[in-house]
Amino acid sequence: MGELTATVLRFAFLALLWVLIFSVLVAMRRDLAVGRKARTTASSRGAAAGSEAPAAPPRPQVRRLVVVEGPQEGTVIDLSGPVMMGRAQESTLVLEDDYASGRHARLFPQGSRWFLEDLGSTNGTFVNDQQLTRAVPIEPGTPIRIGKTVIELRP
């Protein structure tokens, strides 16, 4: 009975080791994911509006991304295209924040609007204190929180 118990314990240990290795690989894959495409339907929603709706006031042209809280407070990035945010050195905004993933979030233009998507980060991306579950449009002045860092779009 003693040898049978030892064999069962060895197999259980081996199974736990494989579960650990698999979970590490999944976490690494999520952090290193490259080239995820935005899945937004926001542009198709606006097309269904009738002609009776009053014209919306013009939106201010967003030109800058400003860090308003956190280790890089005061950092300003001029917007000309998509912005990658995370701890990875190839990110447009490199976050010196232990709660940020390597490739944490992406801010990208679509038409005249800017959208934000979480790239499968460990700790999440928050807009107005609500965690992102999909790409969402971002209005100027809306607080975006990644770990201890808070950023805003500004005209």
Side-chain angles (χ1 to χ4, degrees):
M1 188 70 169
E3 186 156 334
L4 178 63
T5 304
T7 303
V8 168
L9 286 174
R10 285 182 189 139
F11 280 116
F13 178 72
L14 186 61
L16 283 173
L17 191 60
W18 277 108
V19 168
L20 176 67
I21 290 170
F22 181 72
S23 64
V24 167
L25 290 175
V26 167
M28 287 177 57
R29 180 174 177 249
R30 185 175 45 216
D31 263 2
L32 298 174
V34 177
R36 291 196 182 185
K37 295 183 178 180
R39 294 182 180 121
T40 62
T41 58
S43 60
S44 63
R45 289 182 191 148
S51 59
E52 298 172 14
R59 286 193 182 98
Q61 183 70 20
V62 174
R63 300 188 193 290
R64 300 178 296 154
L65 180 67
V66 179
V67 179
V68 294
E69 288 181 35
Q72 289 110 326
E73 184 174 346
T75 302
V76 177
I77 295 178
D78 292 324
L79 297 174
S80 59
V83 176
M84 292 297 288
M85 295 172 276
R87 288 192 329 232
Q89 292 302 311
E90 63 270 4
S91 296
T92 312
L93 176 59
V94 178
L95 299 172
E96 298 169 8
D97 192 327
D98 292 337
Y99 296 101
S101 297
R103 295 175 57 86
H104 195 100
R106 179 174 77 115
L107 185 67
F108 60 96
Q110 193 169 56
S112 63
R113 301 185 81 181
W114 285 85
F115 288 79
L116 179 69
E117 72 174 330
D118 185 271
L119 299 175
S121 65
T122 304
N123 294 314
T125 304
F126 296 83
V127 175
N128 282 331
D129 292 327
Q130 294 189 349
Q131 188 168 2
L132 288 184
T133 56
R134 60 180 175 83
V136 296
I138 303 295
E139 296 298 325
T142 303
I144 301 165
R145 184 172 57 83
I146 297 173
K148 297 177 184 175
T149 305
V150 178
I151 58 177
E152 291 180 1
L153 292 174
R154 300 269 173 90

